[in-house]
Amino acid sequence: MAGADEQKDNTDSIIADIQKRITEAFDMFDHESNKTVDVREVGTIIRSLGCCPSEAELHDMLNMIEEEEPTGYIRFEKFLPMMTKVLMERRYKPVPEDQLLRAFQVLDAEGKGYLSQEELTKYMTEEGEPFNQEELEEMLSAAVDPDKGSIQYKEYVSIMSLEET
Amino acid sequence: MATAAMARTLTETVGVEPTLQMKLQIPNPPQGKSVALMNNRLRNRLRLDPSRALEPARKKIATIEAQRVMSVFEDTILKSEIISLMPFIVENLERFRISLGSELSDLLEQHAVILSSYEDIKQALDRQMKRNAAKKKPSRQSRSPTMSPDDPEGNQVLDEDAAGVVYTPSGTQSRQESERGTPQQSGSRRQSQASMASSRPSSSQSVGSNYSMDSQMERTVRSLTMVAQQLNTSSKNVIRAFQTNPSAMNTIKHEYAKRGYEAQTFIDYLKELKDILLNKLLTTPEEEKERMDYLQEISKRERNNAAIIEKMEAELKAAQDDKDEEVRKKNDVIRGLQADLRQIQKFSEDHIRRVNAEADKQKAADKKNSEGRKQRLQQEVTQLQTQLQNLVTEHRENEQELRRKKFKYETEVENWIQRFDQDMGERQDEYEEIDAVYTEEKKQLHELEERFKTLEAEYQQIMEERKQARERREAAERELALMVKASTTIQAFWRSFKVRKALKARKKKGGKKKK
């Protein structure tokens, strides 16, 4: 089977692969090509790399890599090791389908199998890390069953999970 | 052992003797025979008091004659007592002059003069008599036996008759008394009387032979008689004077002791005579006869008794002889036995000597042995004594130590006890105080508990309510948290989903563009 060297090589190759992916993602948003990105873009970069942290988690990560005097930009040198570590440790992975479903079931306190538009709006804007109006509309447009005028969250979850893979 | 047996037999033989002595005891003499001859009255009197049987039946003189006789006799004694004191009074006349009175003193002086003249005459007569006597000794000797006691009195009476004085019996007595009342002279007087009495017959006998001498003597005698008569009269006068003077009598009475010995004896005799006379006068002739009979009876009995005693004595002698004989026989036996005894003693002495020698030897050996043993034992004793001494000392010390310890412990214990008592007392007090407080507090506690119970019930209720409220809130919070989490999850998922969807779209375009 695979020896120690082989495993190490494997790991190194994985790291190289990851770093390559990070660099790609970073470069995509390095509009001035000076190895820096806007702070507001970092969340997008992280999410593009397959992670789905919450806003609070994202905020923590930004704190780690930010300059001592906030410039509004994040440098690649700092971003790379942090991101490498996160990816290596597979943190902030998207939750599996069943967990996502259960979260919807929690919101559906009466267990009727769906959420009304009002309910979803209320939860998404008042609880947790509230959506802004744009985000909410986007979600509603994607999630609301056009026939029933409500969110059949079971179907919606399976669609999203399907799309994710 | 033969000696012992012998000794026993010997004692047995000796033991018989007492019984023999018993046999030889003299039987009691027979009691006096009853006297049938005595008349009843006498016997009764005898029975009453034998010693008084001979006393007169009466105590007082019954007949007047007898009384007179007695009174005359008593008077005589009184007078003779006075007369006997006369010489003493005359000698000490000066001393008595006042108490006796002048009359009596004069009489006494007169009496003294007469007395002295009488003395002179009598002395002269005595001288003549001596001369006469020296000449006519033989004749006097021959006459002297004829003098009887009555003689002088008889002569005296004759003389007095001659003097022409009438004498009553009492007068005779008193005269005789007066004569004797001069003790210094009485002896010589009597002698002179005697000689007078004797001289008169003699004078009548031998008138012719000694005429000159006799005439002279006769003269002297006559003058003496006259003086005697004077003395007689003087004495009578003195006595009469005394009788009329009781105070003088009393004075004289104190001097009775001054009388001479002869006069005292004479008066004692007179008193005795008075008792006899009284006895005679008290006794009647019948009584006299009775008494005589009684005395005869007594004497007869006495004679009878004497005869009986004689007979008894003869018997006694015979019995004693018998006894002596028997004793002699017994003595023979004893002698024989004693000889035996002596022999036995000799044997036994030999035996004893032998035994003694053996015993001495044995004794010496034993003594030696015993001394050795004694010494050994003595040593042992000494050793043991020292040991004992040591042990005693040791034990004493031990004891002392233990005693000291004991004493210490005792005191300690006592102290502890005392302290304990004190402590306990204090604690008891404390306990009681605390108990009181405790009881009080318990009561309070009960009250408080009562109150507390109600409060607790209220509290429980409130708590229950609060708990329910909290649970509700917690549940709500939990739900909320779940919802938040769920929302966050959904939002995060949605955001990343959207980004990736956008990127995919861009990649497709970009990829196309890049390639």
Side-chain angles (χ1 to χ4, degrees):
Chain A
M1 292 282 266
D5 290 339
E6 199 180 341
Q7 200 171 1
K8 204 188 170 188
D9 288 346
N10 199 17
T11 318
D12 285 344
S13 69
I14 287 166
I15 289 168
D17 185 42
I18 286 167
Q19 283 182 346
K20 191 183 149 211
R21 270 171 59 200
I22 291 166
T23 313
E24 275 177 14
F26 192 84
D27 286 346
M28 207 179 291
F29 293 91
D30 181 12
H31 300 299
E32 299 166 18
S33 300
N34 57 356
K35 290 292 180 193
T36 58
V37 287
D38 195 305
V39 170
R40 288 163 291 184
E41 303 284 2
V42 174
T44 316
I45 298 168
I46 292 169
R47 288 189 178 115
S48 70
L49 284 168
C51 296
C52 34
S54 65
E55 286 296 310
E57 286 162 350
L58 186 62
H59 195 72
D60 286 345
M61 285 157 82
L62 280 175
N63 275 343
M64 280 169 71
I65 56 175
E66 217 173 19
E67 294 300 309
E68 287 180 10
E69 276 179 46
T71 53
Y73 291 97
I74 295 296
R75 289 190 294 141
F76 178 70
E77 300 97 271
K78 287 213 170 178
F79 183 73
L80 179 69
M82 186 277 289
M83 208 54 216
T84 313
K85 200 180 168 199
V86 166
L87 288 178
M88 281 301 286
E89 288 172 11
R90 292 171 187 274
R91 273 152 61 182
Y92 314 129
K93 275 287 166 197
V95 292
E97 191 187 339
D98 55 335
Q99 271 191 29
L100 191 62
L101 183 62
R102 208 170 297 144
F104 274 108
Q105 277 167 348
V106 168
L107 294 184
D108 178 20
E110 294 155 28
K112 55 189 185 288
Y114 61 92
L115 286 169
S116 65
Q117 269 186 62
E118 291 75 29
E119 277 174 334
L120 189 66
T121 308
K122 179 176 162 262
Y123 289 130
M124 287 302 119
T125 54
E126 288 174 16
E127 305 288 335
E129 293 156 341
F131 282 162
N132 53 30
Q133 194 59 40
E134 192 188 344
E135 282 171 322
L136 177 68
E137 278 173 17
E138 217 174 329
M139 185 171 181
L140 284 177
S141 65
V144 174
D145 192 322
D147 298 335
K148 290 170 186 169
S150 62
I151 297 104
Q152 301 294 317
Y153 54 80
K154 207 169 180 178
E155 291 169 27
Y156 180 57
V157 166
S158 61
I159 290 165
M160 279 203 293
S161 304
L162 213 91
E163 274 186 47
E164 191 71 13
T165 45
Chain B
M1 300 317 110
T3 52
M6 284 298 274
R8 203 163 60 237
T9 50
L10 204 78
T11 51
E12 275 164 3
T13 48
V14 170
V16 183
E17 260 185 335
T19 54
L20 198 96
Q21 279 179 344
M22 289 289 277
K23 263 186 223 165
L24 288 175
Q25 268 180 346
I26 305 153
N28 287 337
Q31 296 297 320
K33 289 168 191 169
S34 63
V35 185
L37 292 167
M38 297 279 282
N39 65 36
N40 264 342
R41 200 158 64 99
L42 222 121
R43 213 185 304 173
N44 284 346
R45 226 158 73 182
L46 217 150
R47 233 174 255 156
L48 235 76
D49 188 357
S51 68
R52 295 179 72 175
L54 294 174
E55 276 179 20
R58 281 159 299 185
K59 292 283 176 210
K60 288 251 168 101
I61 298 163
T63 60
I64 198 152
E65 291 87 355
Q67 272 177 14
R68 272 181 198 151
V69 168
M70 270 325 283
S71 73
V72 164
F73 201 82
E74 275 161 17
D75 200 31
T76 307
I77 290 169
L78 192 66
K79 279 172 184 168
S80 64
E81 276 173 348
I82 292 165
I83 289 295
S84 66
L85 259 178
M86 286 279 273
F88 177 73
I89 296 165
V90 168
E91 268 174 41
N92 303 293
L93 194 58
E94 293 307 312
R95 231 182 74 200
F96 293 102
R97 195 180 285 280
I98 298 162
S99 54
L100 297 186
S102 60
E103 194 194 344
L104 199 52
S105 303
D106 289 348
L107 281 173
L108 280 167
E109 274 168 13
Q110 215 182 323
H111 182 79
V113 172
I114 295 166
L115 202 63
S116 63
S117 67
Y118 177 83
E119 281 298 302
D120 289 346
I121 293 165
K122 204 190 73 179
Q123 270 174 4
L125 184 64
D126 275 353
R127 275 197 302 276
Q128 287 172 356
M129 288 275 280
K130 263 178 201 157
R131 249 181 288 152
N132 209 359
K135 280 179 195 166
K136 301 174 48 173
K137 225 171 187 179
S139 65
R140 257 194 95 169
Q141 276 175 337
S142 66
R143 270 201 305 267
S144 52
T146 58
M147 284 166 66
S148 68
D150 294 346
D151 234 341
E153 208 160 319
N155 289 336
Q156 210 73 40
V157 171
L158 277 172
D159 285 345
E160 278 152 12
D161 282 342
V165 181
V166 181
Y167 280 106
T168 58
S170 70
T172 316
Q173 292 285 351
S174 74
R175 222 203 105 223
Q176 194 183 8
E177 198 52 43
S178 71
E179 280 168 359
R180 288 198 183 181
T182 49
Q184 296 97 325
Q185 306 155 358
S186 64
S188 55
R189 176 85 180 277
R190 213 178 302 157
Q191 203 182 353
S192 74
Q193 273 188 351
S195 61
M196 235 161 66
S198 61
S199 69
R200 224 176 306 156
S202 76
S203 65
S204 62
Q205 265 182 345
S206 56
V207 173
S209 62
N210 261 334
Y211 178 75
S212 62
M213 190 76 76
D214 280 354
S215 63
Q216 198 184 9
M217 267 180 69
E218 221 158 302
R219 252 194 339 264
T220 320
V221 165
R222 207 166 296 143
S223 65
L224 188 63
T225 314
M226 268 163 63
V227 175
Q229 274 176 4
Q230 274 175 5
L231 201 59
N232 206 336
T233 322
S234 163
S235 295
K236 277 182 208 161
N237 289 340
V238 169
I239 287 162
R240 275 185 210 114
F242 266 116
Q243 271 171 342
T244 55
N245 191 347
S247 72
M249 202 88 120
N250 283 336
T251 318
I252 294 297
K253 261 178 198 163
H254 293 301
E255 308 297 337
Y256 279 178
K258 298 289 198 312
R259 266 191 305 256
Y261 171 71
E262 283 110 342
Q264 187 61 54
T265 347
F266 173 70
I267 287 166
D268 288 346
Y269 283 142
L270 272 181
K271 281 178 182 166
E272 229 171 280
L273 187 61
K274 189 190 98 179
D275 288 345
I276 292 163
L277 181 65
L278 179 66
N279 211 350
K280 282 278 178 198
L281 289 172
L282 285 172
T283 320
T284 59
E286 282 154 36
E287 276 172 343
E288 189 105 3
K289 192 169 170 284
E290 221 168 69
R291 202 171 293 172
M292 282 314 289
D293 287 352
Y294 173 55
L295 283 174
Q296 273 174 0
E297 177 60 41
I298 294 283
S299 62
K300 213 164 93 189
R301 265 164 63 191
E302 165 69 23
R303 269 198 300 283
N304 278 350
N305 285 344
I308 289 162
I309 285 165
E310 215 172 309
K311 213 172 79 189
M312 300 283 264
E313 266 172 357
E315 274 173 33
L316 173 68
K317 196 164 177 300
Q320 264 174 345
D321 286 352
D322 280 0
K323 186 196 141 197
D324 284 350
E325 183 65 21
E326 246 172 290
V327 166
R328 206 164 45 75
K329 274 187 214 156
K330 290 284 169 193
N331 274 344
D332 285 352
V333 171
I334 286 165
R335 225 169 283 128
L337 287 170
Q338 271 174 345
D340 283 358
L341 183 65
R342 234 170 273 131
Q343 204 156 357
I344 288 155
Q345 251 173 352
K346 223 162 82 190
F347 279 136
S348 78
E349 267 164 20
D350 274 0
H351 187 71
I352 284 164
R353 216 174 296 128
R354 239 182 4 256
V355 167
N356 271 354
E358 269 172 43
D360 280 349
K361 242 189 283 170
Q362 184 69 33
K363 206 167 79 183
D366 283 358
K367 199 172 174 184
K368 224 163 90 188
N369 271 353
S370 86
E371 252 158 34
R373 261 214 323 262
K374 199 169 133 194
Q375 210 153 353
R376 220 164 49 238
L377 288 171
Q378 194 67 41
Q379 267 176 357
E380 215 171 304
V381 163
T382 321
Q383 192 194 331
L384 287 171
Q385 266 174 349
T386 33
Q387 207 174 327
L388 176 69
Q389 199 71 34
N390 289 343
L391 282 172
V392 164
T393 324
E394 203 178 310
H395 287 166
R396 282 269 158 74
E397 276 167 20
N398 260 339
E399 194 193 336
Q400 202 69 25
E401 183 64 31
L402 290 172
R403 268 181 203 285
R404 232 185 353 260
K405 265 194 207 168
K406 190 186 156 226
F407 179 72
K408 212 173 85 193
Y409 290 146
E410 268 176 359
T411 32
E412 249 174 72
V413 164
E414 212 156 295
N415 286 344
W416 279 115
I417 285 168
Q418 220 169 336
R419 209 181 304 168
F420 175 79
D421 284 353
Q422 207 176 324
D423 273 17
M424 281 320 281
E426 279 171 22
R427 273 178 205 181
Q428 185 67 31
D429 289 351
E430 211 177 312
Y431 164 77
E432 272 163 17
E433 269 173 44
I434 289 169
D435 193 49
V437 174
Y438 168 76
T439 325
E440 183 62 28
E441 281 182 355
K442 200 169 176 187
K443 218 168 77 188
Q444 284 178 3
L445 177 70
H446 272 298
E447 282 172 24
L448 291 173
E449 267 177 355
E450 284 295 316
R451 260 192 282 168
F452 176 74
K453 251 181 221 166
T454 54
L455 286 176
E456 200 181 25
E458 278 174 44
Y459 169 79
Q460 286 292 346
Q461 204 179 335
I462 289 163
M463 283 310 278
E464 192 62 30
E465 280 169 17
R466 276 192 193 166
K467 196 179 157 198
Q468 280 172 5
R470 197 174 62 237
E471 273 171 7
R472 269 202 305 279
R473 204 168 60 240
E474 273 173 8
E477 270 171 18
R478 223 171 20 250
E479 205 176 324
L480 189 66
L482 269 174
M483 277 179 177
V484 167
K485 201 185 166 193
S487 302
T488 313
T489 312
I490 292 163
Q491 283 158 352
F493 191 84
W494 172 251
R495 274 177 187 137
S496 27
F497 176 72
K498 207 177 69 184
V499 168
R500 277 192 291 275
K501 203 172 164 187
L503 274 180
K504 260 181 203 167
R506 201 155 9 132
K507 244 182 200 172
K508 269 178 195 167
K509 278 183 245 168
K512 276 174 188 171
K513 255 193 267 172
K514 271 180 187 173
K515 275 180 186 173

